[in-house]
């Protein structure tokens, strides 16, 4: 019982931070919240997928319809992602490198697909190309099927992933201004040369970032694709739709096995995304740092 | 003469490619987004007002809209409270595993909604990891409206955190020092000095989460149980009408939801305009 211990001043705390117990409490709350809503759902996917052992897991993925769904998902992403990549680059070039009227409206319209429900994204193409749609009878007369076939799935996927590359590139290219390009052009470079040798190296990580997010959504889209797919087994089911079918058939392990592949893709996406942010954060658009 | 006409709506530039890139952008945007959405709206005009109103005000549609809106509202509110804590912790404190935690916040953006849907259902089913803890308390989450709230909380989680983080980083620490030196304790400094500057971003994140929740489909349909009038969300009703080949019913509900999205969008812009006037930033 020394007097020194009694007289010891309270632990000093900077006036611009919280007391230690408050800090710890807030960290625990944050951990519990993220654990409950993010970590546990992720874990349960893998636990359920491997519930029957590796053999059952492999057997589930070896199923013919499941394999067809994996192929279709890859095919759809292989069309939708490059299409939106080309669009994103063109849109960013037009919006960031020139001053013209109506630019704000154009930027807003590019973001529009993000505020539309995925189900509506599917519905609009049914209204356009379905059997009762505006172009339905004409398409039928010419033997072209879009709805309940692969073209419809591709269109719906393009719609829901429409803004990803553009919204990453537009702020980035606006930040970088037009001086580099003007210098290149005045030194005699053509438009294509300017883009490939001046602009592209400046935006390559941002471009990759946009493509990464675009691809994750393209492979994982459910609502929009579900409306236009028709659910023909082995033909028009992407992986998310195959999960639904297996789940509704009570093929629990198989459903989670397919789900675990998509969860792995999501994890890989997050890892690459974080790596891009840590390594090249200063070369990405403001919002994604 | 023609150059003058061009100059009136755009500033001249020596960088080539304006016509090509803008032309391609407008064509692609029109074909993929604008024309199909206009087609949907036009399709609705085939209905008379009485017919439209009959569909929109029918008990089943009203119940579905109420559930979608109400559950999204609760989910966004949960995210506003916990998202604020998560964002604060991630910016201000140092602790092991912080970077991993920061990265995983984006999981709902990266994880396909169908995967999230079956995972949440498995967890909150009465035999699931959390469901079996809640069952003795008489709480059933899966296949009730609570399940819808859980799914929409998951889906909206990143919005509040990601809109708040950059704003918390930008807070001028000198303001907090000034508050402390003028005698405010930490609680008052946080509530009276810091919170007002975070409010616009918090509201924006809230509305973004709300807007996403109202339209969400994939993660909800597995956990909701989908009982008409009780656990049937509005997007599911569109799908059901379509499978019945009731195009009029589907488009009527869809345009109602588009109108709601539009109001959300306007709200976000109003919040940001207000924040710009009041605080000078967004």
């Amino acid at each position: 019982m020394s007097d020194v211990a009694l007289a010891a001043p309270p632990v000093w705390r900077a006036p611009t931070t919280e007391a230690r117990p408050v800090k710890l409490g807030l960290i625990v709350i944050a951990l519990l919240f993220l654990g409950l809503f993010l970590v546990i759902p992720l874990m349960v996917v893998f636990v359920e997928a491997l519930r029957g052992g590796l053999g059952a897991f492999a057997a589930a993925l070896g199923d013919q319809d499941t394999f067809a769904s994996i192929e279709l998902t890859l095919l759809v992403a292989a069309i939708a992602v490059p299409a939106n990549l080309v669009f994103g680059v063109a849109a960013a070039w037009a919006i960031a490198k020139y001053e013209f009227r109506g630019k704000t409206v154009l930027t807003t319209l590019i973001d529009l697909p993000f505020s539309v429900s995925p189900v509506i994204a599917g519905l609009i193409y049914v209204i356009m190309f379905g059997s009762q749609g505006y172009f339905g009878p004409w398409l039928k007369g010419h033997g072209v099927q879009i709805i309940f076939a692969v073209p419809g799935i591709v269109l719906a996927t393009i719609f829901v992933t429409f803004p990803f590359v553009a919204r990453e590139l537009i702020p980035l290219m606006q930040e970088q201004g037009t001086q580099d390009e003007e210098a290149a052009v005045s030194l005699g470079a053509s438009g294509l040369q300017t883009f490939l040798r001046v602009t592209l190296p400046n935006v390559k990580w941002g471009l990759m970032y946009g493509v990464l997010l675009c691809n994750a959504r393209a492979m994982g889209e459910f609502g929009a694709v579900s409306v236009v797919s028709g659910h023909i087994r082995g033909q028009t089911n992407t992986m998310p739709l195959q999960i639904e079918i297996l789940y509704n058939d009570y093929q629990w392990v198989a459903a989670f096995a397919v789900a675990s592949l998509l969860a792995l893709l999501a994890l890989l996406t997050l890892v690459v995304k974080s790596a891009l942010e840590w390594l090249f954060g200063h070369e990405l658009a403001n919002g994604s740092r | 003469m023609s150059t003058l006409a061009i100059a009136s709506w755009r500033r001249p530039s020596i960088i080539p490619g304006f016509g090509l890139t803008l032309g391609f952008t407008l064509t692609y945007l029109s074909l993929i987004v604008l024309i199909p959405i206009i087609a949907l709206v036009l399709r609705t005009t085939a209905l008379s007002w009485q017919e439209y109103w009959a569909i929109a005000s029918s008990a089943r549609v009203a119940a579905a809209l109420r559930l979608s809106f109400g559950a999204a509202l609760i989910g966004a509110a949960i995210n506003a409270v916990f998202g604020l804590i998560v964002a604060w912790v991630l910016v201000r404190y140092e602790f092991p595993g912080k970077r991993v935690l920061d990265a995983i916040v984006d999981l709902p953006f990266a994880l396909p909604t169908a995967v999230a849907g079956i995972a949440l259902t498995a967890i909150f089913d009465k035999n699931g990891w959390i469901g079996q803890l809640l069952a003795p308390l008489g709480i059933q989450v899966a296949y009730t409206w609570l399940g819808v709230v859980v799914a929409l909380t998951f889906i909206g989680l990143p919005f509040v955190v990601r809109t708040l983080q950059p704003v918390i980083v930008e807070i001028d620490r000198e303001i907090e020092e000034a508050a402390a030196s003028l005698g405010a304790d930490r609680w008052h400094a946080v509530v009276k000095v810091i919170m007002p500057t975070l409010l616009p971003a918090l509201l924006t994140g809230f509305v973004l989460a709300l807007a996403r929740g109202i339209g969400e489909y994939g993660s909800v349909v597995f956990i909701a149980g989908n009982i008409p009038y009780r656990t049937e969300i509005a997007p599911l009703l569109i799908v059901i009408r379509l499978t019945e080949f009731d195009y009029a019913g589907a488009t009527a509900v869809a345009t109602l939801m588009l109108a709601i999205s539009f109001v959300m969008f306007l709200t976000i812009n109003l919040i940001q305009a207000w924040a710009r006037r009041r605080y000078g930033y967004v």
Side-chain angles (χ1 to χ4, degrees):
Chain A
M1 276 308 243
S2 72
D3 285 337
V4 181
L6 280 176
V11 180
W12 185 83
R13 167 171 73 83
T16 54
T17 188
E18 288 75 47
R20 207 177 156 75
V22 177
K23 255 189 192 178
L24 280 177
L26 289 177
I27 291 177
V28 169
I29 292 173
L31 285 174
L32 283 177
F33 181 66
L34 295 183
L36 176 66
F37 278 97
L38 300 181
V39 180
I40 293 183
L42 195 57
M43 275 167 58
V44 88
V45 172
F46 294 105
V47 171
E48 294 294 338
L50 295 170
R51 172 168 281 199
L54 274 176
F57 179 79
L61 293 183
D63 176 77
Q64 212 174 3
D65 288 352
T66 297
F67 194 75
S69 78
I70 297 174
E71 281 182 326
L72 181 60
T73 294
L74 293 175
L75 173 72
V76 170
I79 302 171
V81 175
N84 282 335
L85 170 66
V86 172
F87 162 73
V89 170
W93 185 271
I95 289 172
K97 299 300 171 195
Y98 307 98
E99 289 302 328
F100 57 94
R101 236 184 268 170
K103 204 191 233 190
T104 327
V105 178
L106 181 59
T107 316
T108 310
L109 286 177
I110 288 174
D111 268 347
L112 189 63
F114 276 167
S115 41
V116 172
S117 170
V119 169
I120 296 178
L123 174 68
I124 57 176
Y125 295 112
V126 176
I127 298 293
M128 292 282 283
F129 306 119
S131 57
Q132 294 182 48
Y134 285 104
F135 299 102
W138 186 87
L139 287 170
K140 200 171 182 186
H142 288 76
V144 181
Q145 197 176 5
I146 291 181
I147 299 305
F148 303 151
V150 177
I153 298 174
V154 172
L155 273 175
T157 306
I158 289 180
F159 183 96
V160 292
T161 58
F162 190 86
F164 278 107
V165 179
R167 71 151 33 182
E168 178 60 32
L169 282 187
I170 292 169
L172 181 61
M173 282 167 66
Q174 275 176 332
E175 242 171 75
Q176 292 173 345
T178 54
Q179 285 180 347
D180 292 358
E181 284 79 10
E182 280 163 1
V185 170
S186 61
L187 289 171
S190 71
L192 191 63
Q193 281 174 324
T194 308
F195 173 70
L196 290 177
R197 301 212 186 153
V198 178
T199 311
L200 195 57
N202 282 336
V203 300
K204 59 177 184 291
W205 300 118
L207 194 70
M208 211 170 173
Y209 193 90
V211 167
L212 184 75
L213 298 183
C214 183
N215 179 64
R217 181 73 193 265
M219 290 192 172
E221 178 52 28
F222 178 75
V225 170
S226 164
V227 171
V228 296
S229 138
H231 306 275
I232 307 163
R233 291 186 190 218
Q235 283 183 43
T236 62
N237 282 322
T238 59
M239 287 168 78
L241 299 179
Q242 182 69 9
I243 292 175
E244 185 192 27
I245 286 180
L246 293 169
Y247 187 85
N248 290 340
D249 280 353
Y250 301 102
Q251 296 192 45
W252 197 261
V253 170
F256 277 99
V258 182
S260 71
L261 292 186
L262 287 175
L264 277 180
L265 173 76
L267 281 178
L268 183 71
T269 303
L270 287 185
V271 168
V272 177
K273 176 176 168 294
S274 304
L276 283 176
E277 284 165 9
W278 295 338
L279 296 173
F280 308 107
H282 54 287
E283 288 179 54
L284 298 175
N286 262 326
S288 48
R289 241 172 256 162
Chain B
M1 258 333 266
S2 65
T3 47
L4 267 181
I6 290 169
S8 66
W9 71 280
R10 78 171 178 105
R11 197 191 294 164
S13 164
I14 64 158
I15 303 172
F18 179 71
L20 178 71
T21 54
L22 187 67
F24 178 75
T25 301
L26 291 177
T27 310
Y28 190 81
L29 178 70
S30 303
L31 289 178
I32 300 287
V33 179
L34 300 182
I35 294 173
I37 288 184
I38 292 168
L40 172 73
V41 176
L42 276 182
R43 186 83 186 206
T44 320
T45 58
L47 293 167
S48 71
W49 267 112
Q50 284 86 350
E51 288 169 317
Y52 186 78
W53 183 243
I55 294 171
S57 63
S58 74
R60 192 165 169 188
V61 173
L65 283 171
R66 203 180 308 128
L67 176 66
S68 275
F69 199 84
L73 207 62
I74 299 172
I78 294 172
N79 277 319
V81 174
F82 290 96
L84 174 64
I85 296 174
V86 171
W88 185 263
V89 164
L90 287 177
V91 174
R92 286 291 176 97
Y93 304 156
E94 291 302 327
F95 54 94
K98 178 173 143 169
R99 278 191 155 183
V100 177
L101 212 60
D102 191 27
I104 208 178
V105 167
D106 280 326
L107 185 72
F109 286 158
L111 193 70
T113 51
V115 179
I118 63 169
L120 290 171
T121 312
I123 294 166
F124 286 98
D125 183 87
K126 64 180 189 302
N127 299 317
W129 293 356
I130 297 174
Q132 62 183 345
L133 303 177
L134 296 174
L137 308 173
I139 303 170
Q140 198 192 341
V141 175
Y143 320 120
T144 68
W145 67 274
L146 280 174
V148 182
V149 172
V150 167
L152 296 185
T153 306
F154 171 86
I155 230 59
L157 198 152
F159 289 102
V160 174
V161 180
R162 291 300 185 228
T163 42
L164 274 175
Q165 266 176 318
V167 183
I168 297 177
V169 170
E170 290 296 316
I171 295 175
D172 190 352
R173 295 302 278 260
E174 283 179 17
I175 299 175
E176 293 172 54
E177 281 165 20
S181 70
L182 289 172
D185 61 30
R186 188 60 188 156
W187 172 250
H188 279 97
V190 168
V191 172
K192 299 237 163 122
V193 179
I194 297 174
M195 281 309 290
T197 66
L198 297 183
L199 193 62
L202 188 63
L203 279 175
T204 304
F206 175 82
V207 180
L208 283 172
L210 177 64
R212 173 72 203 260
I214 294 172
E216 177 57 19
Y217 176 72
S219 59
V220 181
V221 285
F222 294 98
I223 201 171
N226 308 329
I227 307 156
Y229 300 99
R230 292 181 52 196
T231 58
E232 186 177 68
I233 52 166
L236 175 66
L237 200 52
I238 297 178
V239 173
I240 290 173
R241 290 287 180 260
L242 264 182
T243 52
E244 293 165 346
F245 294 102
D246 177 6
Y247 278 35
T251 52
V253 180
T255 45
L256 264 178
M257 291 188 60
L258 277 182
I260 293 174
S261 310
F262 183 68
V263 172
M264 297 282 144
F265 175 77
L266 275 184
T267 313
I268 293 173
N269 279 286
L270 285 176
I271 293 170
Q272 293 185 339
W274 163 70
R276 217 170 285 131
R277 270 200 317 276
R278 175 80 174 70
Y279 302 102
Y281 65 90
V282 189

